[in-house]
Amino acid sequence: MYADLKGYVPENIEYLLPDYVKEIFPAELDFTKIEGAKIKNANDAIKFIGKEFEATFPTGETVMRKLDEFEIRNIREEYCVMQENEVPKRKLNLEETLEEIKAMKKRAEQAYDSILAGVAKYAAQVKEGTQEMRLKSTETFCIALAGYYLFFTWDKNQKAFVLAKAFKIPKGGVKELWATED
C-alpha cells in the first residue's frame, strides 16, 4: 500500500534526464580519486567543491526519478483498492447529488413559474382595473326589474344600498313571476 512507501528510498536511484544532457555531461563525478584531496564521504566532497569551485548549494530542489518495482507494486495496489472501494462510493454519491440538483432545479423552476404567474395575474388585474369581491349576504339583496336581476349591497360610506351587479334574466327565467316585475 501507499503507506508502506513513507520514508522509503530505493537502493538504486535512476534520475530522469534528457538524452542530449546525458551525451554532453558525465553521469557521475567521483572526487575520491583526486590526489591529495582526502575525500572519503559526501561531506568531504561538499567541502572540497565549496573550496575549489564557484558553486551554490540549493535547498528544496526537486528532480524526477524512476520508480522501482517495490514502489510500482505498492502504488498499483493502492489504486486497485481505491478503484474497488472508493470509486463506486464516489460514483453513487455523484449520482445522488445530481438527483438532488435535478430536484432542486425543478423546485426552483416551479417557484420561478409561480412568481411569474402571480406577476401576470396582478398585471392583468391592474390593466383591467378590476377586482372580484364577495358581497356580504347580510347586507345584500337581489330584485328582478325590467328583465334584469339587480343586486344592491349596503355601502356604509354612502349609508345607502348601491347597485353592485346587474345582468339580463336568461330567456327561461323571464316567465317566472318574480322575474317579470316592472
Side-chain angles (χ1 to χ4, degrees):
M1 294 293 290
Y2 204 77
D4 296 337
L5 298 177
K6 187 174 182 176
Y8 174 77
V9 178
E11 189 174 315
N12 296 316
I13 298 174
E14 185 180 340
Y15 297 103
L16 298 178
L17 296 166
D19 288 337
Y20 70 89
V21 171
K22 290 179 184 178
E23 291 173 8
I24 299 172
F25 302 104
E28 58 186 52
L29 299 174
D30 186 0
F31 290 100
T32 60
K33 295 181 180 169
I34 298 175
E35 289 183 31
K38 297 183 183 177
I39 297 172
K40 296 177 185 159
N41 55 38
N43 286 336
D44 293 341
I46 291 291
K47 287 177 189 174
F48 176 79
I49 291 166
K51 182 178 175 188
E52 299 295 326
F53 296 92
E54 291 294 322
T56 62
F57 301 95
T59 57
E61 190 69 30
T62 60
V63 297
M64 294 301 289
R65 67 170 178 83
K66 284 190 173 183
L67 298 173
D68 70 359
E69 286 302 315
F70 178 75
E71 291 171 308
I72 290 171
R73 224 179 13 262
N74 280 281
I75 293 171
R76 184 173 285 133
E77 182 181 350
E78 185 74 24
Y79 72 72
C80 286
V81 168
M82 289 172 70
Q83 178 66 36
E84 291 173 0
N85 298 335
E86 292 301 316
V87 170
K89 289 179 193 174
R90 300 286 173 93
K91 184 175 182 181
L92 179 63
N93 183 271
L94 173 64
E95 290 169 354
E96 290 171 350
T97 302
L98 290 173
E99 288 300 317
E100 287 177 31
I101 290 169
K102 286 179 188 175
M104 289 172 62
K105 181 183 178 210
K106 185 176 180 181
R107 287 192 301 270
E109 286 172 342
Q110 289 172 342
Y112 179 68
D113 291 343
S114 174
I115 195 69
L116 287 180
V119 167
K121 175 186 166 192
Y122 289 133
Q125 185 179 7
V126 167
K127 187 174 183 179
E128 288 179 18
T130 62
Q131 180 176 350
E132 190 173 65
M133 179 180 155
R134 188 174 303 276
L135 299 175
K136 292 183 181 178
S137 61
T138 57
E139 298 175 355
T140 304
F141 67 90
C142 174
I143 60 172
L145 186 62
Y148 282 85
Y149 286 129
L150 305 175
F151 292 80
F152 288 87
T153 191
W154 180 253
D155 186 321
K156 63 183 175 185
N157 293 330
Q158 295 183 24
K159 295 187 175 141
F161 283 95
V162 294
L163 182 62
K165 183 177 183 178
F167 63 91
K168 199 164 186 78
I169 298 171
K171 289 192 181 212
V174 174
K175 295 183 181 174
E176 295 177 12
L177 179 61
W178 185 68
T180 59
E181 291 181 14
D182 285 326

